[in-house]
Amino acid sequence: MPSLLALLTAALLASWAPLPTEAGSWWSLAMNPVQRPEMFIIGAQPVCSQLPGLSPGQRKLCQLYQEHMAYIGEGAKTGIRECQHQFRQRRWNCSTVDNTSVFGRVMQIGSRETAFTYAVSAAGVVNAISRACREGELSTCGCSRTARPKDLPRDWLWGGCGDNVEYGYRFAKEFVDAREREKNFAKGSEEQGRVLMNLQNNEAGRRAVYKMADVACKCHGVSGSCSLKTCWLQLAEFRKVGDQLKEKYDSAAAVRVTRRGKLELVNSRFNPPTPEDLVYVDPSPDYCLRNDTTGSLGTQGRLCNKTSEGMDGCALMCCGRGYDQFKSVRVERCHCRFHWCCFVRCRKCAQTVDQFVCK
């Protein structure tokens, strides 16, 4: 019989054991902020081997590029926020459920929603790393070295310090795809199909950021004469990236894996997806009821719009279960007046409004 001390020791070791790789995702870096590299103290602060959700390949990259990890976390957080904005009025609203898997079991289904989540998260990493390069936060990159656009007028200067989207794209591809590329499933299996789906959607997210980066310019001269113009490469606002990826979600293609280990369209009448398009392998749940097996949170208790006929309307959001009405007090700024010079003073007005929640 093992001694009590041995049993206690085993229990302690089990409680401190690292989480299994598949129990989480690198998205968990958004929920568990990573310290800046100068804050790492050996033996006192978490190191790559202790960060939850990383695959073996991602841990190796973490060791090589430790200063990047905080920005990967910021990129994941940006992606999650954008996902929640884009789906705020839909049955599935991109809710986070814990700090390890982030979205929970719903990501085990290869649905349109999962496709969007992979794409927008990868896009967030490109965005964060590209900006960190420009701001001089990373030792391995700096300002963008993109060649001067051919259509830029000759008397405009090309330079400035642009967002390094080339480096951001390459690093995000290496890091985000590492988890998928180290998996080895049988060719033509459902598991391989899901890996190919994830890789396609990761790439679509990265390309959205890369292709939407554009030239920005600033005028110089006496009294705003704009006698000289300096231009550089600048990332698009991430909201625009999210809007484009939402359009790709709406037109996402249903695919399946072939025996040769390639993705093909379920309906061959449609055009094959480009690297910028989203794909999915499983139909979406209706997300109406809570289901712990699929990870659906259901729509009970969700606010809905009684007058809307869209997805945010009570008829669709509540899945025919009906809704309850209650009154709430909303405090808003009102009676605002401009005072010389130069500020605006407002009052606060309380207004009683009707709200509706799904049964």
Side-chain angles (χ1 to χ4, degrees), residues 85 132 179 217 221 238:
H85 170 80
R179 172 182 288 271
C217 298
F238 201 76

Side-chain angles (χ1 to χ4, degrees), residues 270-343:
F270 296 126
N271 293 327
T274 71
E276 298 170 27
D277 293 323
L278 302 188
V279 299
Y280 63 96
V281 295
D282 297 322
S284 299
D286 61 17
Y287 302 108
C288 284
L289 300 175
R290 185 178 184 89
N291 186 323
D292 292 334
T293 302
T294 63
S296 171
L297 299 178
T299 62
Q300 183 179 4
R302 287 279 302 277
L303 287 170
C304 61
N305 185 344
K306 183 182 177 182
T307 60
S308 173
E309 295 182 359
M311 286 301 299
D312 64 326
C314 292
L316 291 176
M317 180 68 74
C318 304
C319 307
R321 299 188 307 270
Y323 53 88
D324 293 319
Q325 179 179 352
F326 69 96
K327 294 186 180 294
S328 66
V329 177
R330 181 183 298 165
V331 178
E332 298 177 337
R333 295 174 62 185
C334 61
H335 305 301
C336 296
R337 296 184 63 181
F338 175 78
H339 293 265
W340 184 265
C341 175
C342 300
F343 64 93

Side-chain angles (χ1 to χ4, degrees), residues 2 34 57 67 88 92 122 132 146 164 175 204 208 222 227 232 254 257 264 308-309:
V34 183
E67 61 183 354
R88 66 195 182 282
W92 180 77
T146 301
N164 197 338
F175 181 85
V222 179
S227 57
W232 60 90
V257 66
E264 68 174 10
S308 173
E309 295 182 359

Side-chain angles (χ1 to χ4, degrees), residues 67-272:
E67 61 183 354
H68 290 53
M69 300 310 291
Y71 300 100
I72 292 172
E74 288 179 12
K77 188 180 295 184
T78 298
I80 292 168
R81 282 199 301 261
E82 186 60 28
C83 182
Q84 291 172 344
H85 170 80
Q86 295 292 342
F87 288 85
R88 66 195 182 282
Q89 295 179 339
R90 300 180 76 99
R91 291 174 183 169
W92 180 77
N93 61 352
C94 206
S95 295
T96 55
V97 297
D98 59 54
N99 283 358
T100 304
S101 65
V102 182
F103 299 109
R105 293 192 174 193
V106 73
M107 290 293 110
Q108 294 177 5
I109 303 169
S111 64
R112 286 174 183 260
E113 292 74 33
T114 298
F116 179 88
T117 304
Y118 273 73
V120 79
S121 301
V125 175
V126 178
N127 191 79
I129 296 293
S130 301
R131 289 257 162 89
C133 289
R134 183 200 68 193
E135 293 167 4
E137 299 290 344
L138 303 176
S139 60
T140 52
C141 63
C143 300
S144 172
R145 295 182 180 179
T146 301
R148 179 189 178 94
K150 293 181 180 179
D151 58 349
L152 201 68
R154 285 187 179 182
D155 56 340
W156 292 7
L157 297 177
W158 176 248
C161 187
D163 294 310
N164 197 338
V165 68
E166 303 90 346
Y167 183 91
Y169 172 90
R170 291 196 307 271
F171 183 84
K173 183 179 181 69
E174 191 77 16
F175 181 85
V176 177
D177 286 0
R179 172 182 288 271
E180 308 301 331
R181 296 197 181 282
E182 63 197 35
K183 295 174 181 176
N184 188 20
F185 295 116
K187 187 177 290 188
S189 65
E190 290 184 8
E191 293 83 2
Q192 193 213 14
R194 177 59 195 274
V195 166
L196 294 174
M197 168 193 154
N198 293 346
L199 289 172
Q200 164 82 18
N201 295 321
N202 288 345
E203 179 66 9
R206 290 189 294 265
R207 289 199 180 207
V209 178
Y210 189 91
K211 296 234 170 176
M212 293 182 74
D214 202 1
V215 174
C217 298
K218 182 177 181 180
C219 283
H220 308 278
V222 179
S223 301
S225 63
C226 205
S227 57
L228 184 65
K229 238 180 185 181
T230 301
C231 303
W232 60 90
L233 187 68
Q234 183 168 296
L235 294 174
E237 292 180 20
F238 201 76
R239 178 55 38 81
K240 293 181 179 179
V241 174
D243 290 341
Q244 178 169 305
L245 290 176
K246 181 60 165 51
E247 291 180 11
K248 296 292 185 181
Y249 161 88
D250 291 329
S251 61
V255 295
R256 61 192 167 206
V257 66
T258 67
R259 291 181 179 178
R260 293 183 294 174
K262 303 290 184 182
L263 291 180
E264 68 174 10
L265 286 171
V266 171
N267 190 335
S268 58
R269 290 180 298 174
F270 296 126
N271 293 327

Side-chain angles (χ1 to χ4, degrees), residues 22-95:
E22 292 301 319
S25 163
W26 64 271
W27 297 329
S28 63
L29 296 177
M31 315 296 283
N32 304 285
V34 183
Q35 298 280 6
R36 291 290 193 273
E38 62 269 17
M39 298 299 291
F40 279 83
I41 303 173
I42 296 174
Q45 294 291 337
V47 292
C48 297
S49 61
Q50 295 172 307
L51 292 176
L54 300 186
S55 71
Q58 289 171 335
R59 290 190 194 283
K60 290 179 182 178
L61 288 169
C62 173
Q63 295 289 357
L64 291 171
Y65 301 97
Q66 203 171 96
E67 61 183 354
H68 290 53
M69 300 310 291
Y71 300 100
I72 292 172
E74 288 179 12
K77 188 180 295 184
T78 298
I80 292 168
R81 282 199 301 261
E82 186 60 28
C83 182
Q84 291 172 344
H85 170 80
Q86 295 292 342
F87 288 85
R88 66 195 182 282
Q89 295 179 339
R90 300 180 76 99
R91 291 174 183 169
W92 180 77
N93 61 352
C94 206
S95 295

